[in-house]
Amino acid sequence: MKKNLLLLFFVGVIMSCNSQTKEVSNGLSLKIKGTITNDVSGMVYLERMNERNIGAKIDSVKIAAKSFSFNTKIAEPGIYQLNIANEQVIGLILDGGEELTIVADGSATPEKAATAKVDGSENMRMFNEVMTDMQNFSKKVNIIDGKFQAAKNEKDKTTLRNEYLGMLEAQKGLVIPKIKSMGTSLAGIIATNNFLKPDFGGEYQFELKEKLEKEGKNHFFAKMFIQTVNQASVGTVGSVAPDFELTTLEGKKVKLSDFRGKTVIIDFWATWCGPCIMAFPGMKKATEKYKDDPNVVFLFVNTFERVDAGQWKDHVGKFISNRGFTFMNPALDIGNQTALTYGVEGIPAKFCIDKDGKVKHKGSGYLGSTEAVFNEMVEWVEK
């Protein structure tokens, strides 16, 4: 979902025709005062970028005595650019209401590319700062990854892995507050969309969505961000866990919402899944730890079985009996609908649902040992 600054970060929605033909007489104000350091003549065009990264002209002024100014209006927040005599392009993230001061070279020379300084928008300044932070972080990660690939022993790999994790936490502490400081501005929306992900401040996407809805932001980018978060939120950390009702192997109805107020661990598994089976001893140990705690519930949801629906219950029952996994009393996801609703693509897949019915943790795969599985469950329940 990440795009270059001047590309729309939502793909497949045509906006250029409608947005460029809007009447802007009642639009959002924009003032720009520009100074050009090189000898450049001609016109400066204010352009709005469409989904193909093509600028459509919405206003223009003539360069006079190495300066230019706009006192204009834009239809709505968006990604714009100043095109200086087709010699230099300056990207702008605009909400409307800005009063910008720009100093630009106006053209490149054989010695250096054209540069520009934009003042008057703290959100734009912060966005560029975050983008630089992320670019620098990416370079550091590539260096560590190269060292990791070349490492000959597990000790060196562990050291590098720990170094990366330390860098990751430091980067979160550096970048996430900056992104939050941009609030519901367009720069804040794009930064949240482009730079945050599930394991890197992704929970803020839900917070920003709620803020945009509360503030009634309904411009193109706000609506697309809200729609994207809604579509991607199912089963992700911080989202409301989808309710479901299944029947256990023993014939008892189990409904997730009936456990509101409790911590619920959901383990999606199948009889043919080796990693699922290897994780069961750790899961059993966790269920034994919390068997007398009425506020902790374990739901083992059997899914993705490779048998017909009519054979499902008998097939799973024989597996449970033969393997001695009676502690599970699994709920049967016949047809796999519950797993698909949670966005499960591989098993084992585990979710921790908090007392408010939201996904608190999620994970997949086998962690390598009984103790590792057990410790993860304890951390999920008690953290």
Side-chain angles (χ1 to χ4, degrees):
M1 204 156 53
K2 294 178 181 176
K3 297 283 180 184
N4 180 278
L5 169 61
L6 293 180
L7 288 177
L8 295 190
F9 62 102
F10 298 114
V11 179
V13 179
I14 304 300
M15 63 163 252
S16 57
C17 294
N18 289 338
S19 63
Q20 301 305 336
T21 58
K22 282 184 178 179
E23 175 63 47
V24 299
S25 60
N26 295 319
L28 305 167
S29 66
L30 173 66
K31 295 181 180 180
I32 301 174
K33 291 184 177 180
T35 301
I36 300 174
T37 59
N38 292 335
D39 289 323
V40 178
S41 61
M43 303 294 291
V44 178
Y45 301 97
L46 177 63
E47 303 171 342
R48 181 167 187 181
M49 310 307 295
N50 65 22
E51 78 289 343
R52 295 184 298 277
N53 200 28
I54 298 173
K57 296 178 176 64
I58 61 174
D59 204 348
S60 63
V61 294
K62 190 173 183 180
I63 300 170
K66 291 190 175 183
S67 66
F68 62 91
S69 65
F70 285 92
N71 187 355
T72 187
K73 292 183 179 181
I74 59 176
E76 64 177 352
I79 298 176
Y80 296 79
Q81 68 179 22
L82 284 179
N83 180 344
I84 301 177
N86 293 320
E87 295 284 344
Q88 181 180 7
V89 171
I90 303 168
L92 303 173
I93 302 175
L94 301 176
D95 286 281
E98 289 92 349
E99 296 186 10
L100 305 178
T101 301
I102 296 175
V103 178
D105 291 336
S107 63
T109 67
E111 290 75 28
K112 77 180 189 71
T115 61
K117 182 181 179 183
V118 179
D119 292 318
S121 172
E122 176 62 17
N123 289 321
M124 230 192 306
R125 186 196 68 78
M126 187 61 72
F127 179 89
N128 289 328
E129 188 173 310
V130 169
M131 187 163 61
T132 299
D133 290 339
M134 295 302 292
Q135 290 170 344
N136 291 337
F137 178 67
S138 180
K139 292 176 183 177
K140 294 177 183 178
V141 170
N142 288 337
I143 292 173
I144 286 188
D145 184 61
K147 292 179 179 179
F148 185 87
Q149 298 300 327
K152 301 299 184 182
N153 58 71
E154 191 59 35
K155 182 179 179 181
D156 290 341
K157 289 185 176 181
T158 299
T159 299
L160 290 167
R161 188 180 296 111
N162 290 337
E163 183 178 348
Y164 165 74
L165 292 175
M167 283 174 46
L168 183 63
E169 289 304 310
Q171 187 70 3
K172 288 180 183 179
L174 173 67
V175 167
I176 294 175
K178 293 181 181 180
I179 292 177
K180 289 184 176 181
S181 74
M182 290 183 263
T184 57
S185 69
L186 181 54
I189 294 173
I190 297 177
T192 300
N193 180 83
N194 286 11
F195 302 131
L196 301 186
K197 51 187 179 179
D199 61 345
F200 193 93
E203 65 278 0
Y204 178 65
Q205 291 185 338
F206 304 104
E207 182 180 334
L208 179 57
K209 179 187 83 81
E210 292 175 356
K211 288 181 178 179
L212 289 167
E213 292 174 329
K214 185 177 180 180
E215 294 179 13
K217 294 289 182 73
N218 62 358
H219 60 78
F220 174 81
F221 283 92
K223 289 189 289 189
M224 288 303 298
F225 180 81
I226 290 170
Q227 178 182 332
T228 300
V229 172
N230 284 339
Q231 291 175 342
S233 66
V234 176
T236 59
V237 173
S239 67
V240 175
D243 198 13
F244 60 84
E245 183 176 295
L246 299 172
T247 303
T248 69
L249 196 59
E250 296 176 356
K252 179 182 178 181
K253 294 289 185 181
V254 175
K255 190 173 183 179
L256 178 62
S257 56
D258 288 342
F259 300 110
R260 187 62 59 88
K262 304 177 186 291
T263 297
V264 182
I265 300 293
I266 304 174
D267 184 353
F268 288 97
W269 66 281
T271 60
W272 50 264
C273 171
C276 300
I277 296 170
M278 288 187 286
F280 287 156
M283 295 302 294
K284 181 180 180 181
K285 187 174 179 180
T287 61
E288 290 173 346
K289 175 178 175 62
Y290 295 105
K291 66 180 179 179
D292 296 323
D293 189 336
N295 294 315
V296 181
V297 176
F298 284 82
L299 293 180
F300 294 87
V301 178
N302 172 257
T303 192
F304 295 139
E305 285 299 341
R306 297 169 177 173
V307 295
D308 294 335
Q311 301 173 311
W312 198 303
K313 181 177 179 180
D314 184 60
H315 175 77
V316 175
K318 288 179 179 177
F319 173 85
I320 293 293
S321 177
N322 292 338
R323 294 296 189 103
F325 294 143
T326 54
F327 74 95
M328 297 167 62
N329 186 26
L332 305 179
D333 183 26
I334 298 174
N336 315 319
Q337 190 57 50
T338 301
L340 293 175
T341 299
Y342 273 73
V344 174
E345 297 179 348
I347 51 177
K350 298 179 176 64
F351 296 82
C352 178
I353 314 302
D354 68 16
K355 296 176 182 180
D356 296 320
K358 293 184 177 182
V359 179
K360 185 168 69 169
H361 301 285
K362 64 180 294 187
S364 61
Y366 172 55
L367 297 179
S369 70
T370 295
E371 284 303 309
V373 173
F374 170 73
N375 290 337
E376 181 178 59
M377 292 301 101
V378 172
E379 181 180 359
W380 282 12
V381 171
E382 299 184 3
K383 185 175 180 180

